[in-house]
């Protein structure tokens, strides 16, 4: 009897990670026994992810007396290879993987960041025991495929399901078992809580900002200055209120920090509110009732796209460009790379373009999204095939 183990889940305080788990669970509902290896079980319990999937510890203290530690230490000292050492903390996850297990790497961005070598080692470790391995809902920087070690790792997956066409084009050249389906979070359900005071349904502009994009800015301070000028412009030139919506609240990467700074600057206007932390379905409920959305976190913008809210993405990588291109045919004007911010009003100018076309954009999303989300559900067929 086959079973599925999801891994590379960093915890649900990143509500994008939570949304991937919930969306994946919906797509694969009833297909077989499923487990989630989590780096932060307490977060998944807090947001009740454990009520939809069996959550197990996917991260553990390193045993410094083990032979694995000794070999990793030698690799670190001799080759300056940190990946083998870093991956030891996930060793206990192997006990949930056997010859009947399909091991799913669900961290959609795992091949986008500097610790990519860790994921190569983790895939190798789990893949040695698993029946098959799947890279699920991913984006990958195309240039990575020029690195032989990473290309070899990508080639060894039994199946790759990528969420946008730019990554698909790069991955399919290396692994012919690469398929293209929308991110699982497009099929995430929404929950509509009571709106807080100051949130005018369909006349509130949602804004998300992350420390991550601030760290990727080209000019120090330019991102916050652009967001401040954007809020000033909206307050001066529209009747809309503004909702500041966090989507990741990790201590080291907390959207609430820059958003609170914006809130403190504009709270006396009585037109700017801060949304409290809640689970990803409830956040999607708030975003779905916005007139327009400006977002830095990928899954905050997916919540907007999937509920047909006109959206401007402040992006930094291939995933933002690829998703927008697949929805609109182009990412020009729909994605503003944070690295391109040079003037204080760059964000205002991009916002104007979206705002002036918001009705047409919403009409397009209303026509496009139903079939796009249905296609996302069909990714289940790929998993049924490799289970045979």
């Amino acid at each position: 009897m086959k079973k599925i183990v999801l891994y590379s889940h960093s915890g649900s305080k990143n509500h994008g990670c939570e949304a991937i788990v919930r969306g994946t669970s919906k797509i694969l509902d009833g297909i077989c026994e499923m487990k989630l290896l989590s780096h932060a079980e307490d977060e998944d319990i807090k947001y009740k992810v454990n009520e939809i999937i069996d959550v197990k510890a996917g991260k553990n203290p390193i045993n410094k007396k083990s032979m694995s530690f000794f070999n990793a230490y030698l690799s670190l000292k001799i080759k300056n290879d940190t990946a083998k050492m870093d991956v030891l903390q996930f060793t206990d996850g192997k006990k949930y993987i056997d010859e009947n297990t399909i091991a799913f790497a669900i961290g959609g961005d795992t091949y986008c960041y500097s610790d990519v070598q860790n994921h190569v080692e983790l895939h190798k470790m789990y893949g040695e025991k698993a029946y098959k391995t799947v890279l699920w809902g991913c984006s990958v920087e195309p240039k990575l495929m020029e690195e032989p070690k990473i290309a070899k790792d990508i080639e060894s997956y039994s199946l790759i399901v990528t969420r946008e066409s730019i990554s698909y084009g790069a991955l399919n050249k290396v692994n012919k078992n690469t398929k293209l389906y929308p991110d699982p979070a497009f099929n995430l359900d929404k929950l509509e809580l009571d709106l807080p005071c100051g949130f005018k349904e369909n006349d509130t502009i949602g804004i998300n900002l992350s420390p991550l994009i601030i760290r990727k800015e080209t000019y120090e301070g330019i991102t916050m200055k652009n967001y401040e000028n954007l809020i000033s412009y909206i307050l001066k030139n529209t009747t809309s209120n503004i909702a500041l919506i966090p989507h990741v609240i990790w201590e080291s990467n907390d959207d609430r920090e820059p958003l609170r700074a914006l809130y403190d600057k504009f709270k006396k206007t009585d037109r700017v509110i801060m949304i409290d932390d809640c689970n990803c379905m409830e956040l999607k409920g708030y975003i779905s009732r916005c007139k327009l959305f400006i977002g830095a976190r990928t899954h905050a913008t997916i919540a907007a796209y999937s509920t047909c809210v006109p959206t401007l993405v402040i992006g930094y990588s291939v995933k933002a460009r690829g998703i927008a291109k697949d929805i609109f045919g182009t990412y020009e004007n729909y994605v503003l790379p944070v690295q391109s911010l040079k003037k204080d009003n760059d964000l205002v100018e991009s916002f104007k373009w979206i705002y002036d076309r918001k009705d047409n954009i919403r009409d397009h999303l209303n026509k496009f999204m139903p079939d796009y989300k249905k296609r996302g559900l069909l990714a289940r067929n790929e998993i049924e095939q490799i289970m045979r």
Side-chain angles (χ1 to χ4, degrees):
M1 182 69 175
K2 297 296 184 291
K3 57 186 177 180
I4 289 172
V5 171
L6 310 178
Y7 71 94
S8 288
H9 171 65
S10 298
S12 289
K13 282 189 175 180
N14 182 325
H15 294 298
C17 295
E18 180 198 359
I20 290 173
V21 172
R22 290 185 181 276
T24 300
S25 179
K26 181 177 179 179
I27 292 167
L28 301 181
D29 182 43
I31 198 169
C32 66
E33 176 191 334
M34 291 176 60
K35 284 182 170 58
L36 172 68
L37 300 186
S38 175
H39 299 180
E41 287 177 280
D42 57 328
E43 296 178 14
D44 301 308
I45 292 169
K46 177 180 179 179
Y47 297 105
K48 301 182 178 180
V49 171
N50 61 311
E51 294 182 2
I52 63 164
I53 191 169
D54 186 14
V55 179
K56 301 295 184 183
K59 196 173 181 179
N60 52 275
I62 294 174
N63 179 5
K64 294 184 178 180
K65 295 181 180 180
S66 68
M67 183 58 68
S68 296
F69 176 80
F70 177 74
N71 291 334
Y73 184 79
L74 285 180
S75 187
L76 175 63
K77 289 301 181 181
I78 296 171
K79 301 179 182 178
N80 196 30
D81 179 2
T82 62
K84 287 183 173 60
M85 183 67 72
D86 290 339
V87 82
L88 289 180
Q89 61 193 313
F90 307 114
T91 301
D92 279 5
K94 290 195 295 183
K95 66 187 177 186
Y96 301 109
I97 297 172
D98 59 28
E99 67 276 5
N100 291 312
T101 304
I102 300 174
F104 265 60
I106 62 167
D109 303 339
T110 51
Y111 287 80
C112 289
Y113 299 134
S114 58
D115 63 347
V116 61
Q117 296 294 344
N118 296 0
H119 301 290
V120 172
E121 291 297 328
L122 184 57
H123 176 221
K124 180 180 178 182
M125 183 171 72
Y126 288 170
E128 287 173 348
K129 291 194 68 179
Y131 170 62
K132 290 182 180 178
T133 61
V134 174
L135 180 57
W136 177 256
C138 67
S139 291
V140 174
E141 291 292 347
K143 285 186 178 179
L144 275 178
M145 297 302 98
E146 297 172 9
E147 297 185 26
K149 185 176 179 180
I150 295 174
K152 183 178 179 181
D153 173 61
I154 290 294
E155 185 182 15
S156 67
Y157 280 96
S158 310
L159 172 69
I160 297 175
V161 177
T162 183
R163 59 185 167 186
E164 37 79 17
S165 58
I166 297 176
S167 292
Y168 173 80
L171 290 166
N172 191 52
K173 292 177 182 177
V174 177
N175 187 326
K176 294 303 179 184
N177 295 319
T178 299
K179 308 295 180 180
L180 175 61
Y181 291 92
D183 188 290
F186 275 95
N187 278 293
L188 175 72
D189 295 328
K190 66 174 181 175
L191 291 176
E192 294 189 354
L193 302 178
D194 292 339
L195 291 174
C197 181
F199 193 122
K200 299 190 292 184
E201 187 161 2
N202 300 322
D203 194 21
T204 293
I205 294 175
I207 291 179
N208 166 255
L209 172 60
S210 73
L212 179 60
I213 67 160
I214 292 174
R215 290 196 289 267
K216 292 182 179 293
E217 65 189 6
T218 305
Y219 301 98
E220 185 176 355
I222 194 70
T223 306
M224 283 297 287
K225 188 61 179 176
N226 266 269
Y227 269 80
E228 289 170 5
N229 287 345
L230 173 64
I231 293 174
S232 294
Y233 178 86
I234 292 170
L235 294 176
K236 182 178 179 180
N237 294 281
T238 78
T239 61
S240 299
N241 283 358
I242 294 169
L244 305 173
I245 306 177
H247 214 258
V248 174
I249 63 157
W250 280 329
E251 185 176 339
S252 60
N253 192 3
D254 191 338
D255 295 356
R256 294 173 299 184
E257 292 180 5
L259 290 175
R260 278 178 183 144
L262 292 172
Y263 175 74
D264 288 342
K265 188 175 182 67
F266 293 99
K267 62 184 177 182
K268 290 182 180 178
T269 66
D270 291 327
R271 290 175 58 193
V272 178
I273 64 169
M274 184 93 170
I275 297 297
D276 292 333
D277 178 50
C278 50
N279 73 36
C280 62
M281 296 183 293
E282 293 162 343
L283 290 171
K284 186 169 185 174
Y286 287 125
I287 292 169
S288 71
R289 288 174 282 179
C290 289
K291 182 177 187 176
L292 197 137
F293 189 71
I294 301 97
R297 295 290 186 182
T298 299
H299 286 90
T301 63
I302 286 175
Y305 284 146
S306 60
T307 53
C308 302
V309 176
T311 299
L312 173 63
V313 180
I314 315 304
Y316 64 89
S317 72
V318 64
K319 55 184 176 178
R321 301 192 304 274
I323 292 170
K325 178 177 177 290
D326 292 347
I327 293 172
F328 299 106
T330 179
Y331 53 80
E332 294 293 334
N333 297 309
Y334 296 99
V335 177
L336 176 63
V338 67
Q339 298 92 332
S340 73
L341 293 177
K342 297 178 181 178
K343 299 177 182 177
D344 292 351
N345 282 316
D346 284 342
L347 181 52
V348 168
E349 293 305 314
S350 293
F351 169 82
K352 287 180 184 177
W353 192 93
I354 295 286
Y355 191 86
D356 290 345
R357 295 161 178 80
K358 61 184 180 300
D359 292 337
N360 289 338
I361 294 171
R362 189 181 291 274
D363 286 346
H364 171 75
L365 290 170
N366 278 321
K367 293 173 183 175
F368 181 86
M369 271 301 140
D371 287 342
Y372 189 68
K373 290 197 283 189
K374 284 179 184 177
R375 174 162 175 75
L377 295 173
L378 294 177
R380 177 190 180 97
N381 297 339
E382 306 293 343
I383 307 308
E384 288 177 335
Q385 286 187 23
I386 70 166
M387 289 176 68
R388 293 172 185 164

